Amino acid sequence: MNLFRRRPHRHDVIIAVVGLLTGLAGWALGLHTQGGRPLGGAWVLLPLAVTAALELVRRTAPRFALVTGTFAIVADQFTLGSVVTVLMFTDLVYAAVLYGTPAAARRIPVTTGLISVATAIGFLAWLHKPEALLIGLLTGLVSFAPATTGALVRNHRDAADAATLRAEQTALLAEIDRTQAVVAERARMARELHDMVANHLSAIAIHSTAALSLDDPATTRRALTVIRTNSVDGLAEMRRLIGLLRDSGAGRTPAAAPTLAGLDALIAQARTNGASSGLDFALDDSRPEGAALPAPVELAAYRIVQESLTNALKHASPGTVTAALAHTGRALTVRVTSPYGERPGPRAPGSGAGLVGMRERAVLLGGSFESGPEAADDGTKIWRVRAELPIQESESTT
């Protein structure tokens, strides 16, 4: 049988050997539990040997061990009896509950309890003596008591396993949350770094290309002036970001995040940077006076406008770039349009990270974002960026 191909546990081997040797010693000394039985002499050793052998499979085949052990303990009642056989049978009942299937662990205590009660009632009805109740008590001690003990131990073991599993799952979830937090923080840092520096670097790239391609001292001087201004501003932004990353928070005032109040300065800077490319920049702010916005919405709107102006400096054809803001009460709408078409003169390369960052900022606030070319009212082609940033949801999450 496959049940006996598995190597028995060393503790089971010890129990079987000790039980067999103890039973043999008791038989040799003439220690018996009963007398006047049909099978005398060495017959008592047969149930003893069977139960000792069953101890070897108490873990690997608990059901088989219990069923066979039951026949052995019944057979022991027709011999002079051995207390070691009874003790090993109680261990088989205990092991059947502890190592058996969950269904067996539920059924065995109930079955042994009913057998104990039925034995007490049956012998009382047969002998008509109160002492017959002791037979039921002994039956309960041999069967029901080890079964309930096994059930209690199994319940505690299952509870400990469940607690260990919950602890492992909690640790796994914590690690997943930590990993997601790190990824989210890295994405946020990447957006901030791109939005703060890309505008200045794009202006530097465009004007340095113009200075190299045009042999005009006045144009070169203007380009170098713009390059220097953007270099200084870019370095200042980089220092601010590095300061935020290194700041431990002890005794230092956090740097203020940009707000929509700084859009005028942003438009003026873009107008200076785009003068050599034939670009003009305008701001159409139709928000009501004194309308307050949550800080995350202001930061996201500012960065979306900033990145849209940067993209216009890189790719827009000559014309006017317009940044429009509208406050509907439930959401802030940001719309930036720029001329779309062939652009003469130098262009700065793009990676597409700016559009990804703008979309992420809108989605993080529960809003929407869309961008792409479309036809203007006068039939010309424009590139439109539109973001809708909810205000009420943002207030509830801050």
Side-chain angles (χ1 to χ4, degrees), residues 152-384:
L152 291 175
V153 173
R154 180 170 183 145
N155 290 337
H156 284 294
R157 185 191 66 182
D158 292 344
D161 292 342
T164 302
L165 180 60
R166 284 195 299 270
E168 293 175 351
Q169 291 176 341
T170 302
L172 179 60
L173 291 175
E175 179 62 21
I176 293 175
D177 290 341
R178 187 194 69 81
T179 302
Q180 291 177 343
V182 170
V183 172
E185 182 63 16
R186 290 179 62 180
R188 187 187 70 84
M189 291 169 56
R191 286 194 302 271
E192 289 295 321
L193 181 61
H194 179 275
D195 293 346
M196 287 193 303
V197 181
N199 183 40
H200 302 296
L201 293 182
S202 298
I204 292 172
I206 292 172
H207 286 83
S208 61
T209 303
L212 292 173
S213 60
L214 299 177
D215 189 12
D216 182 7
T219 303
T220 301
R221 184 174 183 83
R222 285 195 301 270
L224 291 177
T225 302
V226 174
I227 290 173
R228 183 186 182 281
T229 302
N230 282 276
S231 299
V232 172
D233 293 343
L235 286 174
E237 294 282 6
M238 285 293 294
R239 292 191 187 101
R240 187 177 76 86
L241 179 61
I242 294 173
L244 289 174
L245 296 177
R246 289 181 174 177
D247 186 13
S248 61
R252 295 188 59 180
T253 303
T259 63
L260 294 180
L263 286 183
D264 290 329
L266 188 64
I267 292 292
Q269 182 186 35
R271 187 177 294 118
T272 301
N273 293 336
S276 63
S277 302
L279 290 173
D280 191 17
F281 293 84
L283 176 62
D284 180 12
D285 190 352
S286 60
R287 293 179 298 152
E289 289 289 339
L293 294 173
V297 174
E298 288 221 23
L299 176 60
Y302 180 91
R303 293 303 189 197
I304 289 173
V305 173
Q306 184 184 42
E307 179 58 28
S308 298
L309 298 183
T310 300
N311 288 340
L313 286 172
K314 292 179 182 179
H315 309 294
S317 57
T320 301
V321 180
T322 303
L325 300 177
H327 185 192
T328 62
R330 298 176 59 89
L332 175 68
T333 302
V334 180
R335 188 174 186 270
V336 182
T337 58
S338 57
Y340 181 75
E342 292 297 328
R343 170 182 175 155
R347 301 182 62 176
S351 63
L355 293 176
V356 174
M358 288 190 285
R359 185 180 302 277
E360 288 178 349
R361 289 185 184 277
V363 171
L364 286 174
L365 295 177
S368 60
F369 175 85
E370 56 184 13
S371 63
E374 66 176 29
D377 295 337
D378 57 0
T380 60
K381 269 194 171 183
I382 61 172
W383 181 274
R384 180 178 62 89

Side-chain angles (χ1 to χ4, degrees), residues 50-62:
V50 172
T51 52
L54 293 174
E55 289 285 7
L56 298 175
V57 294
R58 61 192 291 272
R59 297 172 192 260
T60 58

Side-chain angles (χ1 to χ4, degrees), residues 92-113:
L92 294 178
V93 177
Y94 169 83
V97 176
L98 184 60
Y99 302 115
T101 63
R106 292 190 299 268
R107 288 197 301 262
I108 292 175
V110 176
T111 303
T112 54

